[in-house]
Amino acid sequence: MENAIYQSMQAAIRLLENQNIIANNLANISTNGFKETFNLIIKDENVNNLYKIQTQKYYNFSEGILTNTQRKLDVIVKDSGWLVIKDMNGKEAYTKNGHLKINAHGQLTIQNYKVVTNKGDIKIPNNMNVKILSDGTIKKIEEKENKIFEKKIGSLKLVRFSKNNLIQKNNGLFYLKKNILNQNLNVPHDNTVRIQSEVLEASNVNPTKNMVDMISNARQFEMNMKMISMYDQNTERANQLFNVNN
């Protein structure tokens, strides 16, 4: 009896964890570059022990739908490349969201996080005409006497990782796993990473699948709660019978 209750309880806990992940996926359908998250159940087949069952997050790194925006500060990072930003704690984090904006201080930002540039900070006034090259170089464009002049003012820091080396935190940003690199160190710029400007990558979340999974999880959770309640009632009745017989 206790084993059956424990199984139902563990199943309910895993279903709640799945619901949180699905809810986060659905909440980020409109977030550029967002990567869908899943929960994978891991169990050692050679060990018949419920305590050995674990869940692990993994990510769908497939590319979302690409949209031509014709906006100079919209970019996509190709293949396994990533843009680098500074999180609220000043640590480097990584994102596929290429919707860059210029804040009041002339700094490039993504979702209000400061974008990390390669070799020094840059300042970009809002009225400056700029373009971003495929290697991340940022140039200002000026027209003088009917001639176009271009001047490099900085470049984006671009990095490349194996998808197995990354972990996503609650802020939606990706970080290197601690066993891969000391988090106090910064990953060097990768000259081989390429981007494309005037294009945005949408979230790769499949809303239909996530809604179906959410409904299924809710029904399974309800079933497990009923089973726990039934086991509890049976135990109570058994105790009553035991007391009567004594």
Side-chain angles (χ1 to χ4, degrees):
M1 181 72 73
E2 290 181 357
N3 187 53
I5 293 176
Y6 179 78
Q7 288 187 50
S8 295
M9 181 188 69
Q10 286 293 91
I13 291 172
R14 289 195 295 272
L15 288 167
L16 282 177
E17 292 174 351
N18 285 339
Q19 288 295 71
N20 287 334
I21 289 174
I22 293 171
N24 186 57
N25 285 339
L26 292 172
N28 284 280
I29 287 177
S30 60
T31 302
N32 296 311
F34 182 83
K35 299 304 176 186
E36 191 174 29
T37 309
F38 302 93
N39 243 2
L40 178 66
I41 296 176
I42 302 173
K43 183 179 185 298
D44 189 342
E45 297 295 337
N46 298 318
V47 180
N48 187 22
N49 187 337
L50 290 171
Y51 289 94
K52 295 294 182 180
I53 298 178
Q54 297 179 344
T55 58
Q56 180 177 327
K57 284 184 181 180
Y58 70 102
Y59 312 99
N60 174 14
F61 284 106
S62 64
E63 191 174 67
I65 295 174
L66 303 182
T67 304
N68 291 313
T69 65
Q70 297 183 340
R71 181 176 176 269
K72 300 293 185 183
L73 292 179
D74 285 340
V75 300
I76 60 168
V77 191
K78 297 183 178 181
D79 303 322
S80 55
W82 295 79
L83 291 164
V84 186
I85 62 94
K86 289 278 188 180
D87 68 12
M88 298 300 292
N89 298 316
K91 290 185 178 180
E92 285 197 355
Y94 313 105
T95 181
K96 286 283 190 178
N97 184 347
H99 187 54
L100 283 73
K101 294 183 178 181
I102 302 171
N103 66 14
H105 304 290
Q107 299 170 324
L108 285 174
T109 63
I110 296 175
Q111 292 179 293
N112 295 321
Y113 296 110
K114 182 182 175 182
V115 174
V116 177
T117 53
N118 187 28
K119 297 180 181 178
D121 291 338
I122 59 174
K123 298 289 185 180
I124 306 177
N126 274 313
N127 58 353
M128 181 182 290
N129 189 16
V130 299
K131 73 175 182 179
I132 303 177
L133 306 185
S134 62
D135 63 353
T137 297
I138 304 172
K139 288 187 173 184
K140 70 175 182 178
I141 304 171
E142 292 181 311
E143 183 177 351
K144 294 180 180 179
E145 298 177 354
N146 297 323
K147 291 183 179 180
I148 303 296
F149 296 90
E150 296 184 0
K151 182 181 178 180
K152 179 179 177 179
I153 58 175
S155 62
L156 299 173
K157 182 176 179 180
L158 305 172
V159 294
R160 186 191 304 275
F161 305 114
S162 166
K163 62 184 180 181
N164 296 325
N165 293 340
L166 293 168
I167 185 170
Q168 190 180 46
K169 294 191 177 180
N170 292 334
N171 58 9
L173 302 172
F174 282 89
Y175 296 79
L176 275 180
K177 293 179 180 178
K178 289 185 178 179
N179 61 335
I180 302 298
L181 182 70
N182 185 332
Q183 293 296 293
N184 293 322
L185 299 177
N186 293 330
V187 180
H189 172 79
D190 190 327
N191 291 318
T192 66
V193 177
R194 291 294 176 263
I195 66 174
Q196 182 178 345
S197 62
E198 302 186 30
V199 182
L200 274 181
E201 177 187 350
S203 165
N204 68 356
V205 173
N206 183 329
T208 303
K209 178 183 180 302
N210 277 268
M211 284 298 299
V212 171
D213 288 345
M214 178 172 277
I215 294 170
S216 175
N217 281 344
R219 289 175 177 172
Q220 291 181 60
F221 181 82
E222 183 180 358
M223 179 184 68
N224 279 281
M225 290 297 98
K226 287 181 178 179
M227 291 177 67
I228 292 173
S229 177
M230 181 185 68
Y231 294 141
D232 185 56
Q233 290 175 8
N234 288 343
T235 300
E236 184 179 351
R237 289 168 184 167
N239 288 335
Q240 290 174 351
L241 289 173
F242 179 78
N243 292 331
V244 169
N245 292 331
N246 285 318

